[in-house]
Amino acid sequence: MERGCCCWLVALSAVDGRQYVYRVYAPADALLADLFWDAWHCHEESAFPRAWDLFDTALIRRVG
């Protein structure tokens, strides 16, 4: 992890009713929308069911 970065957890709701949580490393002053899109694109590249692309449904928390 680079200096000045912190860890964020981004939970995305998917069409199967589950939430998928992604760890995103970004600066403490990162825009929440950028964190959301980083996690969403990572999810879309996986084999998991489609995630909702609605920012309001995501849970974003800074850890550490």
Side-chain angles (χ1 to χ4, degrees), residues 5-27:
C5 284
C6 58
C7 181
W8 298 83
L9 294 180
V10 182
L12 304 175
S13 297
V15 296
D16 64 354
R18 294 181 179 182
Q19 280 192 327
Y20 295 88
V21 181
Y22 293 89
R23 185 180 301 146
V24 177
Y25 293 99

Side-chain angles (χ1 to χ4, degrees), residues 4-61:
C5 284
C6 58
C7 181
W8 298 83
L9 294 180
V10 182
L12 304 175
S13 297
V15 296
D16 64 354
R18 294 181 179 182
Q19 280 192 327
Y20 295 88
V21 181
Y22 293 89
R23 185 180 301 146
V24 177
Y25 293 99
D29 62 350
L31 297 175
L32 297 180
D34 290 338
L35 299 169
F36 168 78
W37 286 115
D38 281 348
W40 191 83
H41 285 296
C42 181
H43 181 84
E44 286 301 298
E45 293 172 3
S46 72
F48 295 123
R50 184 165 173 78
W52 299 113
D53 58 352
L54 302 172
F55 175 77
D56 292 342
T57 63
L59 299 173
I60 303 172
R61 303 274 188 252

